Amino acid sequence: MQNGAGRRQTENNRSAGRGGKKKGNRLRLFVQLCFTALTNGYAAGFANTTIYAGDLKHFCVPGLSCYSCPGAFGACPLGSLQAVLGSRNFNFSFYIVGFLMAVGALMGRFVCGWLCPFGLVQDLLYRIPFVKKFRRLPGDRWLRYLKYVILVGFVIVLPMTVVDIIGQGSPWFCKYICPSGTLMAGIPLVAGDPGLQEAAGGLFLWKVAVLAVLVLLSVVVYRPFCRYLCPLGAMYGVFNPVSLCRLQVDRDICTKCGVCQKTCGMDIPVWEKPASVECIRCGDCVKACPHGAIRLTGPADLIRRGGAVGNAGTSGAVESSADSVEDRH
């Protein structure tokens, strides 16, 4: 009789855990969709193949949002930073640098997990069924440093030092790498303008190839662009240990069971590195922890309210979480 009651309690914990995770995932998807529509919802731009040039374009949005996207209301912080650094009349931009520091100090990589349109694209691609999902790419440990190389080289150094005859630098990251710009600006503009179709050459094909590779990788590996290439994520990640939005682990009740890492799409041992620069603050580990040992503080408290109903559980919930993660990966 007692064993039967224990089994029923275990099943209840499993159901609560799955329900909390699904509820939290729906909340994050809803926020991502709303923010993408809010920042890239200029429908007339897509209809007429034009670029919005109103007053809102003077202001940056937190995530990647190409200035040339027909639907974009705001400016991309990376594009704006490169434009300033590459200008022949270079002046230190306190607005752009201050904006990046303020967003980083407030949210860190919460922006990546909840507010970046290209992050949403990768999340949706990863939902596509595939015969086998991979937790990481070969050489993952070293590939993660590539985004810092891109940040220093393509976003800062090259725009400042490689200039044309009049002393003007180019936005190297936007021009040669950024897949978000290709998807949201390059392809829609070229598709809707015959003149641009005739002018499109090798550079455009290169950008499409970069995008295609990342799209394919996103189906089998969780967020490869965020992990390995995104300089904006690298910049915000530096603030993760000190941002108001951060993960906290209660060491008194944490058993180091490893469920948080198995659940984490970025493959982070959360119990050991809650302030990891790789963490996008998606909240999956918060909802998966069977002991309720992990919480998000600051602006991201909405995650706990939205999906933490499955935090309390027993060892049965541990097994359920681990099994579901193994099925997913």
Side-chain angles (χ1 to χ4, degrees), residues 23 61 67 83 141 150 200 224-225 227 248 252 298 319 329:
K23 184 177 179 181
V61 297
Y67 186 96
R141 178 182 176 185
I150 292 174
F225 178 70
R227 285 193 193 210
Q248 291 183 343
D252 293 331
E319 296 169 3
H329 291 287

Side-chain angles (χ1 to χ4, degrees), residues 41-183:
Y42 184 60
F46 289 108
N48 303 321
T49 318
T50 57
I51 300 173
Y52 171 79
D55 291 339
L56 292 176
K57 270 289 174 73
H58 293 99
F59 301 95
C60 293
V61 297
L64 292 178
S65 182
C66 185
Y67 186 96
S68 299
C69 171
F73 285 111
C76 175
L78 279 183
S80 300
L81 181 61
Q82 291 171 92
V84 171
L85 295 177
S87 172
R88 63 176 178 171
N89 299 317
F90 168 70
N91 289 307
F92 186 80
S93 176
F94 288 99
Y95 163 65
I96 298 173
V97 175
F99 174 83
L100 289 168
M101 293 180 67
V103 173
L106 179 65
M107 295 185 283
R109 292 197 74 178
F110 178 84
V111 173
C112 307
W114 289 73
L115 304 180
C116 182
F118 198 69
L120 168 63
V121 171
Q122 292 176 90
D123 283 348
L124 295 176
L125 287 170
Y126 192 70
R127 290 177 176 228
I128 297 175
F130 194 74
V131 62
K132 181 176 176 58
K133 301 284 187 177
F134 297 91
R135 290 191 64 79
R136 63 187 73 86
L137 290 179
D140 172 86
R141 178 182 176 185
W142 303 108
L143 286 174
R144 289 177 187 252
Y145 291 104
L146 189 55
K147 57 182 173 288
Y148 300 101
V149 174
I150 292 174
L151 171 62
V152 174
F154 282 78
V155 176
I156 299 175
V157 175
L158 288 175
M160 293 178 63
T161 59
V162 181
V163 298
D164 58 22
I165 193 171
I166 62 171
Q168 186 77 27
S170 295
W172 283 72
F173 172 74
C174 298
K175 187 174 180 179
Y176 293 101
I177 298 177
C178 186
S180 179
T182 305
L183 177 66

Side-chain angles (χ1 to χ4, degrees), residues 229-240:
L229 299 178
C230 183
L232 187 59
M235 196 177 301
Y236 286 148
V238 173
F239 291 91
N240 266 3

